[in-house]
Amino acid sequence: MLRSGGQWLRGLRLPRFPPRGTPGRPRSVCSREGEGNPPSSAETQWKDRAETVIIGGGCVGVSLAYHLAKAGMKDVVLLEKSELTAGSTWHAAGLTTYFHPGINLKKIHYYSIKLYEKLEEETGQAVGFHQPGSIRIATTPVRVDEFKYQMTRTGWHATEQYIIEPEKIQEMFPLLNMNKILAGLYNPGDGHIDPYSLTMALAAGARKYGALLKYPALVTSLKPRSDGTWDVETPQGSVRANRIVNAAGFWAREVGKMIGLEHPLIPVQHQYVVTSSIPEVKALKRELPVLRDLEGSFYLRQERDGLLFGPYESQEKMKVQDTWVTNGVPPGFGKELFESDLDRIMEHIEIAMEMVPVLKKADIINVVNGPITYSPDILPMVGPHQGVRNYWVAVGFGYGIIHAGGVGKYLSDWILHGEPPFDLIELDPNRYGKWTTTQYTEAKARESYGFNNIVGYPKEERFAGRPTQRVSGLYKTLESKCSMGFHAGWEQPHWFYKPGQDTGYRPSFRRTNWFEPVGSEYKQVMQRVGVIDLSPFGKFNIKGQDSIRLLDHLFANVIPKVGFTNISHMLTPKGRVYAELTVSHQSPGEFLLVTGSGSELHDLRWIEEEAVRGRYDVEIKNVTDEFGVLGVAGPHARKVLQKLTSEDLSDDAFKFLQTKSLKFSNIPVTAIRISYTGELGWELYHRREDSAALYDVIMNAGQEEGIDNFGTYAMNALRLEKAFRAWGSEMNCDTNPLEAGLEYFVKLNKPADFIGKEALKQIRAKGLTRRLVCLTLATDDVDPEGNESVWWNGKVVGNTTSGSYSYSIQKSLAFAYVPIELSQVGQQVEVELLGRNYPATIIQEPLVLTEQTRNQLQKNGGKDKM
């Protein structure tokens, strides 16, 4: 029995700093291997002006100070209310891993580990970094599938990762009970680091390069000035800063409240247990790899001659420190811990003892129960905040140690160069909005903590905290008829089911219960007419005497004529695709801009900042929540809608990409003739309160034509066949529009000097190294999703960006980036799916011509071409 003095521990008080680690052995929790004589804050130093003020002296804030100063920024000031590492850093378990189930965060993890490997040499400060590797163990077949899924998503990255057999696992971790183990996911170079020593090394580096780290220095007030600078007030004096960065950990909510922001963050309690020396561990000749039992939901690593074990209990059992949200963090809390509660993690302790039997006779010497800060989706919030000039955040780190190095570099590059170094929109603080209530945040934080080790399926949905206040006018009408997906707070139909069909959420790595219904919806749009709720679109009104000049500067496309719409892209200064929007010129100088739901505030922030920077006389209004959108598409779309209006909807009277204000059954609508399906269709923008009425009249009018609903899964299949790109997949801040095949929308010869124009000219002159292509695959019961490895001649040469099943040719279809020399039509490659390489062929795109192109060819007598 895992014990302490023969009894379970309850309420054990820990010393503030346990004994130091022994050189050459795994460190003791919170030991200061690299402490020596840590430099104290220089009390006599103070700066009245700063380029950047960082609030918070945990490992993330100190990493940002280090990177900014090292990159050459003068006047970097970090303010910490008590002492460095106070908060969540000092008691962290310090795990480091190359692995992340997402794509972009792999780059953050990779950079962090590479930095930590050389930090001691650079700063002279030991960091206590151990790299025995790590093994995630699979004890179920579906977990093995997950490992295969993650392997193809890692193959085109620099990270080393392997699936290993049980025999190899036992060789590397001989203390394991191997009865249930089917496979392992192994990352060489993973391990753990002493968080205190790491932070002190980063601090030494920051000071070396000229940053001022001031503590104790409590920030008491933040006052924005009209020129975009800030007055940061402390008991020691005031600092005027060109920008401020909130890196205050579980104090970040309090810092945000100083300027009227409610950051969706909540502290949760996380416990881990440290044992005394175990003879079998002491007898080992090399350090054990970090172990992650995913079904048991715990991590375990060697700690000196004992073991350290940390579980993630279920959302029903885990503890949220909700009083800190309602009453604030206790003023003196910094390097304190909560009372331990082993009953809460007993289930995981028993699983761990079964998996690692030597735990049964081990004594507990420490129980650490400390606060860590969660955002609703467990990912941190990193970057500039919409609506507040020169206010940046680096908050909400559930895994701050592994993120600290990479995020410090990422933010430093963004601040210095005016654009993110690579796409990381999943960390954008602007993914949340006014709909993100405290109740929602707590519900999602509970779910996210409890789901730490849940199987990560494609098309995953999580249901806690839903629905939010952000439901369209059709929610009550449609919720019982479809499977809803969550999009920036909105509920949007993914697919619809008919009587007798399996209506449950059935996630899988293979085709599942939505496959056949989505095929029916596809045929509905291609053969008849379908209706889709597009209300989650982000929508902005822009008007004013400088509106045309502003948009001409923002977008690489020309400004559409009054009454027309086009597809336009905002580029970064380096010529990457920051955003894709439709721009509708509704009346002279007045525009409606529409973007995807996930990039609403991401795009709005960019537009607002450019308007302020260029001193454009414009009015920008976010009308996302005011307007609903219905899409009507299919060969009978015109016939159905014409029944509801006296306005002529014929092809000559209402042209493709034209926009008009009209009424359908006396309901005011802004209609745009455009559809992401590539079929004849309109998007109908209307007051949100009119959604249900508009939907009803359209459905009633379309009975004769066999009208029905369709969802976003069918729309994705339709757009892929038409070779329509999607922002966030085929294009983002990692891609330029030329390699993404967006030349048609980029007007390098237009007079306006749009952002990224010069960089794009240089890219074109230099020539492309890769290109986006369309692939068909002959698979069995699995389809590409995006981010899979593309192989050629035994090597990984590229990656898919999105994929689906093509219901027209009954094969899988995918977009992929491949080297320019392999981008010719007919080129054979392979795409890795669930551990198998499937043959793929580059095809001439699009697979299916758009309705507009088909009509044009028919008018020109091109039936044979069609």
Side-chain angles (χ1 to χ4, degrees), residues 513-534:
N513 60 334
W514 53 260
F515 181 76
E516 295 296 338
V518 169
S520 298
E521 294 172 32
Y522 169 91
K523 292 176 183 177
Q524 177 71 34
V525 176
M526 291 297 290
Q527 299 173 6
R528 293 181 290 277
V529 57
V531 179
I532 184 171
D533 185 5
L534 300 173

Side-chain angles (χ1 to χ4, degrees), residues 439-675:
Q439 293 76 17
Y440 171 83
T441 300
E442 178 173 344
K444 296 304 286 187
R446 284 186 177 278
E447 178 185 59
S448 294
Y449 186 92
F451 282 7
N452 248 287
N453 293 301
I454 196 171
V455 175
Y457 290 104
K459 292 184 169 64
E460 182 186 55
E461 287 293 321
R462 297 187 176 186
F463 298 98
R466 295 169 55 181
T468 72
Q469 65 192 40
R470 228 178 188 194
V471 293
S472 82
L474 296 183
Y475 177 70
K476 290 183 178 179
T477 303
L478 300 180
E479 65 171 324
S480 63
K481 302 176 181 178
C482 67
S483 177
M484 291 280 187
F486 189 73
H487 300 268
W490 297 87
E491 299 290 332
Q492 186 175 28
H494 277 172
W495 61 279
F496 288 82
Y497 33 75
K498 302 297 182 186
Q501 291 181 338
D502 183 356
T503 62
Y505 170 63
R506 302 282 185 265
S508 175
F509 295 104
R510 295 173 169 83
R511 293 171 191 160
T512 183
N513 60 334
W514 53 260
F515 181 76
E516 295 296 338
V518 169
S520 298
E521 294 172 32
Y522 169 91
K523 292 176 183 177
Q524 177 71 34
V525 176
M526 291 297 290
Q527 299 173 6
R528 293 181 290 277
V529 57
V531 179
I532 184 171
D533 185 5
L534 300 173
S535 298
F537 280 165
K539 317 163 196 83
F540 319 128
N541 278 336
I542 298 182
K543 61 182 179 180
Q545 67 179 27
D546 289 338
S547 60
I548 292 177
R549 282 204 313 118
L550 170 62
L551 298 186
D552 219 12
H553 176 63
L554 283 169
F555 291 110
N557 206 344
V558 295
I559 303 303
K561 297 176 182 178
V562 175
F564 283 86
T565 297
N566 70 13
I567 297 169
S568 297
H569 299 85
M570 295 193 295
L571 308 182
T572 71
K574 293 183 180 179
R576 297 167 180 167
V577 185
Y578 187 82
E580 179 183 74
L581 300 91
T582 56
V583 179
S584 298
H585 202 161
Q586 295 182 298
S587 61
E590 185 168 352
F591 296 86
L592 171 66
L593 273 57
V594 179
T595 187
S597 57
S599 49
E600 173 196 345
L601 299 182
H602 167 272
D603 296 359
L604 182 60
R605 182 198 65 80
W606 186 272
I607 294 167
E608 288 174 337
E609 289 195 359
E610 284 302 322
V612 170
R613 187 179 292 115
R615 298 183 179 180
Y616 293 95
D617 183 3
V618 293
E619 179 185 328
I620 303 170
K621 185 180 180 183
N622 186 0
V623 295
T624 298
D625 291 345
E626 297 177 28
F627 289 93
V629 188
L630 286 181
V632 182
H636 299 317
R638 178 182 286 115
K639 187 177 179 182
V640 172
L641 293 178
Q642 189 66 78
K643 299 177 186 181
L644 304 173
T645 182
S646 58
E647 186 83 29
D648 187 355
L649 302 183
S650 67
D651 193 50
D652 290 334
F654 204 139
K655 296 179 173 59
F656 180 59
L657 294 180
Q658 199 166 359
T659 176
K660 292 185 179 183
S661 294
L662 45 85
K663 289 186 178 180
F664 287 120
S665 292
N666 213 33
I667 299 171
V669 165
T670 295
I672 304 174
R673 193 179 152 194
I674 192 173
S675 176

Side-chain angles (χ1 to χ4, degrees), residues 2 59 354 378 383 573 587 648 755:
L2 190 64
C59 60
E354 181 183 353
I378 212 172
S587 61
D648 187 355
I755 300 170

Side-chain angles (χ1 to χ4, degrees), residues 41-42 45-47 65 75-79 206-207 210-214:
S41 184
Q45 290 189 42
W46 187 258
K47 288 187 176 182
D75 300 323
V76 177
V77 175
L78 182 145
L79 303 175
R207 292 187 183 96
L212 172 64
L213 279 54
K214 188 69 177 176

Side-chain angles (χ1 to χ4, degrees), residues 289-310:
V290 177
L291 184 76
R292 290 177 174 85
D293 181 348
L294 303 177
E295 304 309 322
S297 193
F298 68 84
Y299 57 83
L300 182 145
R301 68 168 176 82
Q302 190 170 338
E303 174 70 13
R304 287 186 167 185
D305 295 330
L307 296 171
L308 181 152
F309 155 79

Side-chain angles (χ1 to χ4, degrees), residues 79-277:
L79 303 175
E80 161 56 43
K81 68 183 293 291
S82 56
E83 57 182 299
L84 300 185
T85 76
S88 297
T89 297
W90 74 277
H91 62 73
L95 299 181
T96 56
T97 177
Y98 284 112
F99 177 86
H100 194 275
I103 296 301
N104 301 318
L105 272 165
K106 295 182 195 297
K107 301 176 186 177
I108 295 291
H109 288 212
Y110 185 86
Y111 177 88
S112 290
I113 289 176
K114 294 305 178 185
L115 171 68
Y116 301 164
E117 287 175 345
K118 63 185 180 183
L119 198 57
E120 181 174 342
E121 180 183 352
E122 179 184 347
T123 65
Q125 191 90 9
V127 296
F129 195 17
H130 297 255
Q131 295 182 273
S134 78
I135 304 173
R136 287 168 170 77
I137 56 174
T139 56
T140 65
V142 72
R143 193 66 79 170
V144 176
D145 273 353
E146 182 187 25
F147 287 0
K148 293 175 181 177
Y149 178 72
Q150 287 301 333
M151 282 300 297
T152 187
R153 294 161 67 85
T154 301
W156 53 284
H157 288 267
T159 301
E160 273 193 89
Q161 185 169 287
Y162 310 96
I163 292 179
I164 56 176
E165 298 296 323
E167 294 77 15
K168 184 66 175 178
I169 297 171
Q170 188 166 35
E171 177 187 331
M172 298 174 70
F173 203 116
L175 306 181
L176 272 179
N177 174 358
M178 300 298 297
N179 288 344
K180 297 179 181 179
I181 296 175
L182 302 177
L185 193 66
Y186 173 54
N187 287 98
D190 282 10
H192 53 97
I193 196 167
D194 176 16
Y196 179 90
S197 300
L198 168 64
T199 306
M200 289 304 163
L202 290 166
R207 292 187 183 96
K208 172 182 175 181
Y209 298 117
L212 172 64
L213 279 54
K214 188 69 177 176
Y215 53 91
L218 174 67
V219 174
T220 56
S221 175
L222 297 171
K223 295 180 178 178
R225 295 169 53 83
S226 60
D227 62 354
T229 60
W230 291 85
D231 284 336
V232 183
E233 297 184 355
T234 76
Q236 290 90 335
S238 179
V239 185
R240 182 160 298 170
N242 289 348
R243 74 186 55 78
I244 54 177
V245 183
N246 181 352
F250 56 67
W251 292 93
R253 282 180 60 91
E254 273 73 7
V255 173
K257 285 179 179 179
M258 292 181 186
I259 58 174
L261 294 177
E262 288 282 345
H263 293 310
L265 303 169
I266 196 162
V268 302
Q269 294 187 17
H270 178 62
Q271 297 185 95
Y272 61 83
V273 172
V274 186
T275 76
S276 61
S277 179

